[in-house]
Amino acid sequence: MGVPHPIPYQGSKRGLADAIIAYFPLDIERLIEPFAGSAAISLAIAYHGKAKEFVLNDLNKALINLWGEIINRPDYLVSAYEELWKGQEGKERDYYTLVRTQFNKTQRADYFLYLLARCVKASVRYNSYGEFNQSPDNRRKGARPATMKANIFGASRLLNGKTTLLNLSYEEVVTQATQADLIYRDPPYQGVCGNRDPRYMGGLSHDSFVEVLDALNANNISFIVSYDGRTGLKTFGKSLPSFLNLERIDLNAVRSSHATLLGRNQNRVESLYLSPTLVARIGKTHAPKVEYRQAQLSLVEALS
């Protein structure tokens, strides 16, 4: 199989992973993901053997606990998921509600994985009391146990023994980075979450985010940021300021699902920002992906 992806998660960079890691250097000591989510980039990098160690951090504690089970106790998680999946037969909607209620009481990893596999658009949503409240997608039952088993064991093989799991703020995590590391940051998508991200019960301040990036630049830390984008003429979020001296690359993503439902032929474009230290580092380790970048930019221009 290819790169395993056990966690379905809205906003995952699974579809853009190959395009993103084309800008990674060859000499990464650790890859640090402050907003880990589905860890699509870490899994892709581990699959291609481009980093020695990994740091997965997320403010969503239940998500980090789930990663702990995937990486360290795959046998247990595979068995527990299969039991849940089979238990829903013939009563899928009521069963989902029951599991959701139990998850909000216990925060069990197997419950969370089942909910992610079955909820609408694999989208994590919490209410003001911190309870998971996303509805089920009644058109599907979630990944079959055999498929989930392959993805869980695959991810465990890639990350076991070389991954640190953290449940801290992104500001705390990035202070651990050294010049041998690379930080990949994919914060809550602007324009979708608004001022309050229901995944984390809090917002992400643009100004504070910029201050952290500026501090990383001052310490010559390599980083890549997925931050803003557009669909057709609609732009999501602020661009990162020019004083950071970041190289911005527009990546053509999949067609917008919302636009497709409305019958519009619109693609989504997502922005990738490379730090000055990373740009210099790439030049030292291998030829920059200039041809790939130009091809992407040409495609974006054609769509504009």
Side-chain angles (χ1 to χ4, degrees), residues 222-285:
S222 299
F223 62 84
I224 297 178
V225 181
S226 294
Y227 197 60
D228 53 69
R230 68 179 186 272
T231 299
L233 299 177
K234 186 174 183 180
T235 300
F236 299 102
K238 299 179 182 178
S239 299
L240 292 173
S242 58
F243 75 81
L244 291 174
N245 296 315
L246 307 179
E247 181 174 352
R248 176 175 171 168
I249 299 156
D250 286 334
L251 299 178
N252 185 44
V254 297
R255 179 177 297 179
S256 165
S257 58
H258 179 66
T260 300
L261 289 173
L262 296 177
R264 299 172 184 168
N265 185 20
Q266 294 179 333
N267 282 55
R268 190 175 78 250
V269 175
E270 297 196 8
S271 298
L272 199 67
Y273 293 86
L274 279 60
S275 70
T277 300
L278 175 60
V279 172
R281 187 173 168 186
I282 289 174
K284 291 178 182 179
T285 55

Side-chain angles (χ1 to χ4, degrees), residues 120-140:
V120 174
K121 297 180 180 178
S123 175
V124 177
R125 291 292 181 268
Y126 292 94
N127 63 23
S128 59
Y129 299 102
E131 298 170 328
F132 184 91
N133 66 346
Q134 184 60 290
S135 301
D137 183 342
N138 294 311
R139 299 169 300 174
R140 58 191 180 88

Side-chain angles (χ1 to χ4, degrees), residues 179-190:
Q179 293 182 13
D181 299 333
L182 175 67
I183 301 173
Y184 172 69
R185 310 177 70 170
D186 180 24
Y189 198 48
Q190 298 180 93

Side-chain angles (χ1 to χ4, degrees), residues 67-125:
W67 271 116
E69 298 299 318
I70 290 171
I71 295 171
N72 301 312
R73 293 209 303 166
D75 293 280
Y76 154 75
L77 190 60
V78 164
S79 176
Y81 177 82
E82 181 175 7
E83 183 176 346
L84 290 168
W85 193 89
K86 289 181 177 179
Q88 71 183 337
E89 186 65 34
K91 50 184 177 182
E92 286 82 1
R93 186 178 182 87
D94 290 342
Y95 193 83
Y96 177 95
T97 301
L98 176 63
V99 173
R100 185 176 62 186
T101 299
Q102 291 302 311
F103 168 72
N104 284 326
K105 293 179 180 178
T106 66
Q107 300 293 294
R108 273 178 45 172
D110 57 328
Y111 291 163
F112 194 36
L113 181 59
Y114 172 79
L115 294 174
L116 290 173
R118 287 231 30 227
C119 70
V120 174
K121 297 180 180 178
S123 175
V124 177
R125 291 292 181 268

